[in-house]
Amino acid sequence: MTATGTLHSWDLSTGVDGPGTRFVAFLAGCPLRCLYCHNPDTRSRRNGHPCSADEIVGEAAKYTGFIRAAGGGATVSGGEPLLQPALTGELLHRFKHELGLHTALDTSGHLGARADDALLADTDLVLLDIKSWDRALHRRLTGRELAPTLDFARHLADVGTEVWIRSVLVPHLTDPADNVEGVAAFAASLGNVTRVDVLPFHKLGAAKWRALGLDFPLADTPVPTPDQTAAARAVFAAHGLYAC
């Protein structure tokens, strides 16, 4: 029997969800409450709709020829996909073995303990968000502890899964030198990190907060300058990591 769950939406994207053009399934629901979240509409499963793996894989199958030609694959994202591990696991398995696509899992790692060996065996790449190296700041930013994410990162290193680290650069929050240095040193220590995406904070999701009747917590926070972003990337590069 196919797994069922709650899907927020799906899309075809290029560049930010893994290599090449990708079919991305955004599952609904997330245990984190990130202050800079640009998709707050994916936080609650109430904002999704019931969906089966059969339906999602069937949609992805329509684009496999194009995706392969573009050197892409399929990504399970969210929200937080590991909030729905059965659906996520079946999607990754079928994307990989039924459709023959490169697979990626986009996760905060907070629920990494739910990713069993079978799920990881079907995952070619993990896009892992490390929100902050400072533990207190991580709690402030997300409402959750950092430790589960670091534990998951170490486990991925142990099993040899390729990882791209995502790090959002927020002025006056995540941009202090010691915070960037901490994430960079940790990422470099793992041995399986092949890329780091330093993502400049933006306010493109502010309208979604308003639509949900919520105040955007970082409305008055400036976006980083190109020089600030370049400086953060240089810290990762100094640790021998490919940063973009």
Side-chain angles (χ1 to χ4, degrees):
M1 178 179 291
T2 186
T4 60
T6 310
L7 177 73
H8 177 271
S9 57
W10 66 267
D11 198 2
L12 292 175
S13 76
T14 302
V16 297
D17 298 292
T21 298
R22 307 187 72 81
F23 178 91
V24 186
F26 297 95
L27 305 191
C30 182
L32 273 60
R33 293 294 179 264
C34 298
L35 298 183
Y36 53 71
C37 181
H38 62 277
N39 287 315
D41 48 319
T42 67
R43 286 176 167 183
S44 173
R45 294 185 67 173
R46 292 192 300 272
N47 292 330
H49 60 275
C51 201
S52 70
D54 282 345
E55 293 173 279
I56 299 170
V57 172
E59 196 64 45
K62 300 175 184 178
Y63 305 96
T64 52
F66 169 70
I67 289 171
R68 290 195 197 100
T75 300
V76 186
S77 184
E80 172 50 66
L82 292 178
L83 196 63
Q84 303 182 61
L87 178 58
T88 295
E90 182 174 340
L91 289 175
L92 290 166
H93 181 80
R94 293 178 65 180
F95 287 154
K96 185 177 183 70
H97 298 285
E98 189 174 310
L99 302 185
L101 296 176
H102 176 277
T103 57
L105 173 68
D106 184 1
T107 177
S108 71
H110 181 73
L111 300 178
R114 298 187 180 188
D116 61 20
D117 291 345
L119 186 152
L120 292 180
D122 290 324
T123 304
D124 295 313
L125 172 68
V126 172
L127 310 174
L128 183 64
D129 297 323
I130 299 184
K131 315 288 186 179
S132 167
W133 185 248
D134 180 277
R135 274 63 170 172
L137 176 58
H138 192 278
R139 287 192 298 273
R140 178 184 168 194
L141 282 173
T142 71
R144 299 288 183 170
E145 299 296 325
L146 173 61
T149 295
L150 302 186
D151 290 344
F152 185 52
R154 295 185 186 101
H155 180 62
L156 293 172
D158 289 342
V159 300
T161 302
E162 182 183 3
V163 168
W164 290 5
I165 296 292
R166 326 297 272 293
S167 180
V168 179
L169 189 69
V170 186
H172 313 310
L173 285 174
T174 67
D175 66 336
D178 57 347
N179 193 56
V180 177
E181 171 67 25
V183 176
F186 176 73
S189 74
L190 295 172
N192 61 330
V193 176
T194 58
R195 169 169 162 165
V196 177
D197 288 320
V198 177
L199 305 174
F201 163 69
H202 61 74
K203 304 181 186 181
L204 299 179
K208 294 183 178 181
W209 286 77
R210 290 194 297 270
L212 294 169
L214 302 172
D215 292 327
F216 182 42
L218 302 185
D220 296 327
T221 300
V223 300
T225 66
D227 286 347
Q228 288 173 316
T229 303
R233 288 174 177 149
V235 173
F236 287 96
H239 281 272
L241 297 164
Y242 172 65
C244 54

